[in-house]
Amino acid sequence: MTNLIAALIFAILGAGSYRYLYLPYKRRTNALSRLSPLDFSKDPVYLCHGLIAPAKPSNQFTVAQGDLSAITLGYKILVDNYGGERARIKNCMTLGSDLDEVSNLLSISGPRWNSITDRYMTTLGCPLSFSDDRKAVIAHEPDGTREIFRNTYRSSGDPEICYGIVVGAAITRHGDRAQNVLICAGSNSLATYGSVIILDELRHSRSLQRIRHLTELKNQPRWAMIVRVQNLSPDNAEPRGQLPFERGQLEVRIERSFVTAEFCKAHRLTARQSSRGDDRPDSSEAARSPGPDTDPDPISHDTAN
């Protein structure tokens, strides 16, 4: 009888907080939750996105279409996995002044348009960077060499294969204040979108072991991965003018992963190279399918809210 009464009381008290009892457990068991540094506390989870500066005579900041698709999917992931009551969204300009108070952050867009991404990639000593022409991801090896993952293009100028990155880290800032950071960025906006798609695929997976490259990242305080995005849309002779951002027209996979130790070593080597002004590629670079010399990335822009 005592057990029955206790069960009834628990049911009454727990009915109003069902989503806090069951859903967090369900969310915690997917591959994204086990790999992501973002926690399940009551602190807000912020999505921070980049902005393209206005071109004269316009005075409006814009967001690349691929980034807009990435932002939409990224926000859905935060709501579904961490709860709508915790999810927030801000651009890099408005969040910058409050960044020290943010405990959980998903930063979307590359360092060119998102200053928050740029700040954390530098702070973390990330072993990945983007080429100056924005057509490649560069992996900085612990021995000082580099491996280049370069975009390839169709005759129309549309991307055929492009590369993005996902970076995760749990760090301490300003004394004992912890920050949990995820970064999704790409060599172009299509690659940025593909990087967020990887997060969504992790959210729907129950096992890290089933996904190539991920087992070694478990329990790493800092990790990174290179994401390969292939355009499967019909190859038209004429430029599309707008890239395909339908999931069914993209093939996304993890190309390579990096653990915490590679962050530290790569960061020290990069700092030494920068201090002596050596920003040129090493002669031992392993280049991946060089693309054309022009910058054929026709992307329509949408006004940011």
Side-chain angles (χ1 to χ4, degrees):
M1 186 65 178
T2 302
N3 291 339
L4 178 60
I5 294 174
L8 288 173
I9 294 174
F10 178 80
I12 293 172
L13 295 176
S17 57
Y18 166 78
R19 61 195 179 111
Y20 294 102
L21 295 175
Y22 173 68
L23 288 180
Y25 172 77
K26 183 179 179 182
R27 293 165 180 161
R28 288 173 194 265
T29 58
N30 65 43
L32 173 61
S33 298
R34 295 166 61 192
L35 183 64
S36 167
L38 305 184
D39 63 34
F40 283 87
S41 67
K42 294 182 180 180
D43 293 332
V45 182
Y46 283 90
L47 186 157
C48 174
H49 65 85
L51 290 174
I52 299 175
K56 295 180 180 180
S58 172
N59 60 353
Q60 292 183 321
F61 287 85
T62 58
V63 177
Q65 184 183 354
D67 284 13
L68 187 61
S69 298
I71 293 164
T72 303
L73 179 58
Y75 186 73
K76 182 179 186 302
I77 292 170
L78 294 186
V79 169
D80 291 347
N81 210 62
Y82 300 98
E85 67 281 359
R86 296 181 61 202
R88 309 281 193 277
I89 183 168
K90 287 189 175 184
N91 64 60
C92 58
M93 297 181 65
T94 57
L95 185 62
S97 59
D98 301 323
L99 190 60
D100 291 339
E101 304 302 318
V102 174
S103 298
N104 295 283
L105 174 69
L106 169 59
S107 185
I108 294 179
S109 307
R112 186 183 184 203
W113 305 124
N114 189 336
S115 58
I116 306 301
T117 293
D118 185 36
R119 182 185 306 186
Y120 278 102
M121 287 183 67
T122 302
T123 300
L124 296 173
C126 182
L128 302 176
S129 65
F130 295 99
S131 62
D132 291 340
D133 61 4
R134 306 183 306 282
K135 298 176 186 176
V137 171
I138 303 173
H140 301 264
E141 308 291 355
D143 63 2
T145 60
R146 303 178 186 181
E147 184 176 9
I148 298 181
F149 297 79
R150 186 170 294 279
N151 299 349
T152 61
Y153 298 87
R154 297 174 174 179
S155 57
S156 63
D158 291 340
E160 176 71 27
I161 295 173
C162 49
Y163 294 92
I165 67 172
V166 181
V167 181
I171 61 177
T172 301
R173 289 172 58 96
H174 300 287
D176 296 331
R177 184 168 184 82
Q179 282 192 322
N180 307 306
V181 181
L182 271 178
I183 296 172
C184 290
S187 51
N188 56 29
S189 61
L190 189 65
T192 297
Y193 181 42
S195 298
V196 179
I197 288 176
I198 285 292
L199 296 187
D200 195 45
E201 292 184 354
L202 290 175
R203 186 171 66 88
H204 289 94
S205 176
R206 311 300 294 177
S207 173
L208 291 175
Q209 285 76 15
R210 295 180 181 178
I211 304 177
R212 185 170 173 247
H213 294 301
L214 290 193
T215 304
E216 63 183 9
L217 301 185
K218 185 179 179 182
N219 299 323
Q220 291 285 325
R222 299 183 186 185
W223 53 264
M225 60 180 73
I226 294 177
V227 177
R228 180 184 185 272
V229 183
Q230 183 171 0
N231 178 3
L232 300 179
S233 65
D235 187 359
N236 301 314
E238 298 297 325
R240 294 169 55 96
Q242 179 174 324
L243 298 177
F245 295 109
E246 299 81 19
R247 291 276 289 268
Q249 294 186 329
L250 300 176
E251 180 181 86
V252 181
R253 71 167 189 244
I254 299 170
E255 189 77 359
R256 185 178 165 187
S257 60
F258 302 79
V259 297
T260 303
E262 294 174 275
F263 274 66
C264 301
K265 295 176 182 177
H267 179 57
R268 287 195 293 268
L269 286 165
T270 303
R272 286 203 299 270
Q273 290 169 349
S274 298
S275 66
R276 66 173 186 259
D278 184 10
D279 293 328
R280 296 170 298 173
D282 295 333
S283 58
S284 55
E285 285 179 347
R288 299 250 177 156
S289 304
D293 292 331
T294 57
D295 190 5
D297 192 4
I299 299 174
S300 62
H301 297 96
D302 299 288
T303 302
N305 295 326

